Structure formats: C-alpha cells, structure tokens
Amino acid sequence: MSTIRLGDEAPNFTAKSTEGEINFHEWLGHSWGILFSHPADYTPVCTTELGTVAKYKDQFDKRNVKVVALSVDGLESHKGWVNDINETQDTTVNFPIIADEDRKVSELYDMIHPNANDKLTVRSVFVIDPDKKVKLIITYPASTGRNFEELLRVIDSLQLTAYHKVATPANWKSGDDCVVSPSIESKDIPGIFPKGYTEIKPYLRMTPQPDLK
Ligand code: BEZ
C-alpha cells in the first residue's frame, strides 16, 4: 500500500478490463482521467452510479476526461452486470471497468479501507490531469452513492485554475465569479484580468470567470 497525495504522479499499472488490457498511463494519453472504485458488482447503489456515469459521457468528453471504474470482482461478473446496468438504468455502459481480482490496483491506490470492509473497495475517486498528476481525491462509504454533478463542478474548477490565476469560492459553479489568486498584487490585476475586478478586502478580490482556452 502506498499513500497517494495531491500533486503526486498517479501510479501506473496494467490491468484487465471490460475493454481489454489497460496500461493506465497509455490509456490516459493526453486526457484528464477519473479512476473510481465501487464495492461490488450486482449491488444497487453501484448499479445506479455506473449507469449515471454512462449518461454523463458527453459531459466528460466535452472536458476531455476519460473515465475508468474498478472493483475486485472478475471480468465475467463485470460483463454480466453491465447487461443489468444497461437494462435497468436505460443506458449503455461506455467506459471500461477494471477487474481487480488480485487487488493490485486497489492496493496501489489504497482503495481498501479495512476498518470499513477488509475485502471490498470503498468508493474512491481520483482525478488525474494530462501530466498524470493527481488533482483530486475523494472517498465515500459504500452506503453513499456519489454526486457526479459535483465531480463535474470540481473538474471545471481544476481546468480553470490550471490555466488562469484564479481560485473558485464556496459553491462556485462554471460561469460564476472567481477569486483572484492571492499571489497576484492588486496593481497587476488590470493587465491580467481584462474583465475587471472588485476588491472586497485586500486579500479578497473577485473577477468574472476568465474565458477557458
Ligand atoms: C451498493 O452498491 O448498493 C452497496 C455496495 C456495498 C455495500 C452497500 C451498498
């Protein structure tokens, strides 16, 4: 088991998946990536989660994000369960699901939390940027299905702040005003943010969201 922290390189691995063997870094290419684990196939919350992710494909594509799921169940189990997801969630699963029966990836990414369950993965989410750096880690318990709107919201923030000297305030969503990075002196703001800014306090300066490139 290794500890993975924000800013670390996402560990590479090869694994079996419903779309063939994956070399994680090669599979990511120059895209952003989401690696997310779920506890087990043929379980109700996971069924709704994977169906929901399939329906978000356009949203992920728009953001240049590739998605891969994982559990410690085997490939045959995954393939059978995908039929159920497609049928019950009225969708077509359109991303690979890793069959991590030997727990190689789960252990590499610390997805098994023994005091929650010593056999199954928790609901981990890793967002990885095109340089293969880990930009977001979230962990949910088995009993709570994830909010994928929140995941899109964070990806919007990550992509904006990767290219502009802004941060995003509480409850920000794409299109809302942003916070000017504290590292920028107020005298330099007009040259950097042509849309203008408002100084609420010397350390709290707001600017309209810069245009994404
Ligand atoms: C579920 O996906 O419904 C689930 C999986 C493991 C434990 C509890 C719920």
mmCIF file of all heavy atoms in Angstrom, residues 38-49 81 117 120-121 123 141-145, ligand 1:
data_model
loop_
_atom_site.group_PDB
_atom_site.id
_atom_site.type_symbol
_atom_site.label_atom_id
_atom_site.label_comp_id
_atom_site.label_asym_id
_atom_site.label_seq_id
_atom_site.Cartn_x
_atom_site.Cartn_y
_atom_site.Cartn_z
ATOM 1 N N HIS A 38 -15.727 0.995 -6.926
ATOM 2 C CA HIS A 38 -17.019 0.725 -6.285
ATOM 3 C C HIS A 38 -16.891 -0.609 -5.555
ATOM 4 O O HIS A 38 -16.040 -1.432 -5.898
ATOM 5 C CB HIS A 38 -18.150 0.714 -7.316
ATOM 6 C CG HIS A 38 -17.947 -0.266 -8.421
ATOM 7 N ND1 HIS A 38 -17.251 0.037 -9.585
ATOM 8 C CD2 HIS A 38 -18.310 -1.562 -8.539
ATOM 9 C CE1 HIS A 38 -17.213 -1.020 -10.355
ATOM 10 N NE2 HIS A 38 -17.840 -2.016 -9.755
ATOM 11 N N PRO A 39 -17.713 -0.835 -4.530
ATOM 12 C CA PRO A 39 -17.504 -2.019 -3.684
ATOM 13 C C PRO A 39 -17.723 -3.356 -4.389
ATOM 14 O O PRO A 39 -16.936 -4.276 -4.198
ATOM 15 C CB PRO A 39 -18.498 -1.829 -2.539
ATOM 16 C CG PRO A 39 -18.806 -0.368 -2.520
ATOM 17 C CD PRO A 39 -18.681 0.097 -3.938
ATOM 18 N N ALA A 40 -18.777 -3.470 -5.167
ATOM 19 C CA ALA A 40 -19.062 -4.811 -5.703
ATOM 20 C C ALA A 40 -20.060 -4.734 -6.845
ATOM 21 O O ALA A 40 -20.908 -3.841 -6.894
ATOM 22 C CB ALA A 40 -19.633 -5.704 -4.604
ATOM 23 N N ASP A 41 -19.952 -5.707 -7.760
ATOM 24 C CA ASP A 41 -20.917 -5.832 -8.855
ATOM 25 C C ASP A 41 -22.265 -6.314 -8.295
ATOM 26 O O ASP A 41 -22.327 -6.883 -7.206
ATOM 27 C CB ASP A 41 -20.415 -6.854 -9.880
ATOM 28 C CG ASP A 41 -19.102 -6.422 -10.541
ATOM 29 O OD1 ASP A 41 -18.628 -5.309 -10.255
ATOM 30 O OD2 ASP A 41 -18.573 -7.209 -11.340
ATOM 31 N N TYR A 42 -23.297 -6.132 -9.088
ATOM 32 C CA TYR A 42 -24.646 -6.607 -8.729
ATOM 33 C C TYR A 42 -25.099 -6.066 -7.368
ATOM 34 O O TYR A 42 -25.661 -6.802 -6.547
ATOM 35 C CB TYR A 42 -24.700 -8.142 -8.724
ATOM 36 C CG TYR A 42 -24.479 -8.764 -10.094
ATOM 37 C CD1 TYR A 42 -23.262 -9.337 -10.423
ATOM 38 C CD2 TYR A 42 -25.496 -8.760 -11.057
ATOM 39 C CE1 TYR A 42 -23.048 -9.911 -11.671
ATOM 40 C CE2 TYR A 42 -25.286 -9.325 -12.315
ATOM 41 C CZ TYR A 42 -24.062 -9.904 -12.615
ATOM 42 O OH TYR A 42 -23.864 -10.466 -13.850
ATOM 43 N N THR A 43 -24.785 -4.792 -7.106
ATOM 44 C CA THR A 43 -25.281 -4.145 -5.888
ATOM 45 C C THR A 43 -26.027 -2.882 -6.313
ATOM 46 O O THR A 43 -25.706 -2.285 -7.351
ATOM 47 C CB THR A 43 -24.123 -3.786 -4.926
ATOM 48 O OG1 THR A 43 -23.139 -3.072 -5.662
ATOM 49 C CG2 THR A 43 -23.519 -5.021 -4.291
ATOM 50 N N PRO A 44 -27.011 -2.476 -5.519
ATOM 51 C CA PRO A 44 -27.932 -1.445 -6.023
ATOM 52 C C PRO A 44 -27.314 -0.067 -6.238
ATOM 53 O O PRO A 44 -27.522 0.561 -7.285
ATOM 54 C CB PRO A 44 -29.037 -1.401 -4.960
ATOM 55 C CG PRO A 44 -28.462 -2.052 -3.744
ATOM 56 C CD PRO A 44 -27.439 -3.035 -4.221
ATOM 57 N N VAL A 45 -26.574 0.434 -5.234
ATOM 58 C CA VAL A 45 -26.035 1.797 -5.369
ATOM 59 C C VAL A 45 -25.032 1.848 -6.531
ATOM 60 O O VAL A 45 -25.054 2.771 -7.358
ATOM 61 C CB VAL A 45 -25.374 2.258 -4.045
ATOM 62 C CG1 VAL A 45 -24.742 3.625 -4.220
ATOM 63 C CG2 VAL A 45 -26.392 2.276 -2.908
ATOM 64 N N CYS A 46 -24.174 0.837 -6.611
ATOM 65 C CA CYS A 46 -23.175 0.799 -7.692
ATOM 66 C C CYS A 46 -23.855 0.768 -9.056
ATOM 67 O O CYS A 46 -23.374 1.384 -10.017
ATOM 68 C CB CYS A 46 -22.281 -0.434 -7.546
ATOM 69 S SG CYS A 46 -21.407 -0.502 -5.979
ATOM 70 N N THR A 47 -24.954 0.039 -9.148
ATOM 71 C CA THR A 47 -25.683 -0.044 -10.419
ATOM 72 C C THR A 47 -26.138 1.352 -10.850
ATOM 73 O O THR A 47 -25.985 1.743 -12.019
ATOM 74 C CB THR A 47 -26.884 -1.001 -10.280
ATOM 75 O OG1 THR A 47 -26.380 -2.295 -9.906
ATOM 76 C CG2 THR A 47 -27.677 -1.109 -11.572
ATOM 77 N N THR A 48 -26.664 2.134 -9.902
ATOM 78 C CA THR A 48 -27.116 3.488 -10.265
ATOM 79 C C THR A 48 -25.924 4.384 -10.597
ATOM 80 O O THR A 48 -25.993 5.209 -11.504
ATOM 81 C CB THR A 48 -27.935 4.137 -9.132
ATOM 82 O OG1 THR A 48 -27.109 4.304 -7.969
ATOM 83 C CG2 THR A 48 -29.155 3.304 -8.777
ATOM 84 N N GLU A 49 -24.823 4.196 -9.885
ATOM 85 C CA GLU A 49 -23.642 5.046 -10.152
ATOM 86 C C GLU A 49 -23.092 4.811 -11.559
ATOM 87 O O GLU A 49 -22.824 5.756 -12.300
ATOM 88 C CB GLU A 49 -22.529 4.731 -9.152
ATOM 89 C CG GLU A 49 -22.722 5.327 -7.779
ATOM 90 C CD GLU A 49 -21.442 5.252 -6.967
ATOM 91 O OE1 GLU A 49 -20.717 4.259 -7.095
ATOM 92 O OE2 GLU A 49 -21.180 6.190 -6.228
ATOM 93 N N TRP A 81 -22.952 -8.048 -15.309
ATOM 94 C CA TRP A 81 -23.568 -6.927 -14.580
ATOM 95 C C TRP A 81 -23.816 -5.736 -15.516
ATOM 96 O O TRP A 81 -24.831 -5.041 -15.377
ATOM 97 C CB TRP A 81 -22.649 -6.538 -13.416
ATOM 98 C CG TRP A 81 -23.128 -5.426 -12.556
ATOM 99 C CD1 TRP A 81 -24.400 -5.228 -12.079
ATOM 100 C CD2 TRP A 81 -22.350 -4.345 -12.046
ATOM 101 N NE1 TRP A 81 -24.443 -4.091 -11.302
ATOM 102 C CE2 TRP A 81 -23.190 -3.542 -11.273
ATOM 103 C CE3 TRP A 81 -21.005 -3.998 -12.166
ATOM 104 C CZ2 TRP A 81 -22.742 -2.396 -10.611
ATOM 105 C CZ3 TRP A 81 -20.545 -2.866 -11.509
ATOM 106 C CH2 TRP A 81 -21.407 -2.068 -10.745
ATOM 107 N N ASN A 117 -14.290 -2.145 5.398
ATOM 108 C CA ASN A 117 -14.518 -3.500 4.857
ATOM 109 C C ASN A 117 -13.159 -4.027 4.403
ATOM 110 O O ASN A 117 -12.489 -3.371 3.609
ATOM 111 C CB ASN A 117 -15.499 -3.442 3.682
ATOM 112 C CG ASN A 117 -15.901 -4.839 3.217
ATOM 113 O OD1 ASN A 117 -15.059 -5.700 2.987
ATOM 114 N ND2 ASN A 117 -17.192 -5.060 3.099
ATOM 115 N N LEU A 120 -13.567 -5.448 0.294
ATOM 116 C CA LEU A 120 -14.088 -4.686 -0.848
ATOM 117 C C LEU A 120 -13.523 -3.274 -0.884
ATOM 118 O O LEU A 120 -13.192 -2.703 0.157
ATOM 119 C CB LEU A 120 -15.623 -4.601 -0.760
ATOM 120 C CG LEU A 120 -16.374 -5.928 -0.655
ATOM 121 C CD1 LEU A 120 -17.870 -5.672 -0.503
ATOM 122 C CD2 LEU A 120 -16.087 -6.796 -1.872
ATOM 123 N N THR A 121 -13.472 -2.716 -2.095
ATOM 124 C CA THR A 121 -13.030 -1.323 -2.236
ATOM 125 C C THR A 121 -14.127 -0.379 -1.751
ATOM 126 O O THR A 121 -15.324 -0.649 -1.911
ATOM 127 C CB THR A 121 -12.719 -1.022 -3.721
ATOM 128 O OG1 THR A 121 -13.729 -1.622 -4.538
ATOM 129 C CG2 THR A 121 -11.367 -1.567 -4.119
ATOM 130 N N ARG A 123 -15.687 3.672 -2.075
ATOM 131 C CA ARG A 123 -15.967 4.482 -3.274
ATOM 132 C C ARG A 123 -14.908 5.582 -3.376
ATOM 133 O O ARG A 123 -15.118 6.700 -2.912
ATOM 134 C CB ARG A 123 -17.373 5.077 -3.209
ATOM 135 C CG ARG A 123 -18.463 4.037 -3.205
ATOM 136 C CD ARG A 123 -19.859 4.635 -3.301
ATOM 137 N NE ARG A 123 -20.834 3.644 -2.881
ATOM 138 C CZ ARG A 123 -21.300 2.662 -3.624
ATOM 139 N NH1 ARG A 123 -20.884 2.532 -4.865
ATOM 140 N NH2 ARG A 123 -22.181 1.806 -3.141
ATOM 141 N N PRO A 141 -18.221 6.351 1.556
ATOM 142 C CA PRO A 141 -18.511 4.999 2.049
ATOM 143 C C PRO A 141 -19.405 4.243 1.072
ATOM 144 O O PRO A 141 -20.041 4.849 0.204
ATOM 145 C CB PRO A 141 -19.244 5.268 3.369
ATOM 146 C CG PRO A 141 -19.903 6.595 3.159
ATOM 147 C CD PRO A 141 -18.994 7.388 2.254
ATOM 148 N N ALA A 142 -19.469 2.927 1.254
ATOM 149 C CA ALA A 142 -20.272 2.084 0.366
ATOM 150 C C ALA A 142 -21.738 2.504 0.336
ATOM 151 O O ALA A 142 -22.412 2.370 -0.685
ATOM 152 C CB ALA A 142 -20.159 0.627 0.811
ATOM 153 N N SER A 143 -22.229 3.034 1.445
ATOM 154 C CA SER A 143 -23.669 3.310 1.545
ATOM 155 C C SER A 143 -24.087 4.624 0.888
ATOM 156 O O SER A 143 -25.279 4.920 0.823
ATOM 157 C CB SER A 143 -24.075 3.326 3.026
ATOM 158 O OG SER A 143 -23.184 4.158 3.740
ATOM 159 N N THR A 144 -23.114 5.405 0.393
ATOM 160 C CA THR A 144 -23.465 6.709 -0.193
ATOM 161 C C THR A 144 -23.038 6.765 -1.653
ATOM 162 O O THR A 144 -21.841 6.765 -1.964
ATOM 163 C CB THR A 144 -22.769 7.855 0.580
ATOM 164 O OG1 THR A 144 -23.139 7.765 1.955
ATOM 165 C CG2 THR A 144 -23.179 9.217 0.041
ATOM 166 N N GLY A 145 -24.004 6.839 -2.537
ATOM 167 C CA GLY A 145 -23.703 6.988 -3.962
ATOM 168 C C GLY A 145 -23.132 8.375 -4.224
ATOM 169 O O GLY A 145 -23.518 9.350 -3.575
HETATM 170 C C1 BEZ B 1 -24.412 -0.873 -3.191
HETATM 171 O O1 BEZ B 1 -23.803 -0.587 -4.213
HETATM 172 O O2 BEZ B 1 -25.631 -0.790 -3.141
HETATM 173 C C2 BEZ B 1 -23.690 -1.288 -1.959
HETATM 174 C C3 BEZ B 1 -22.491 -1.974 -2.085
HETATM 175 C C4 BEZ B 1 -21.841 -2.396 -0.938
HETATM 176 C C5 BEZ B 1 -22.370 -2.104 0.307
HETATM 177 C C6 BEZ B 1 -23.564 -1.390 0.404
HETATM 178 C C7 BEZ B 1 -24.231 -0.987 -0.742
#
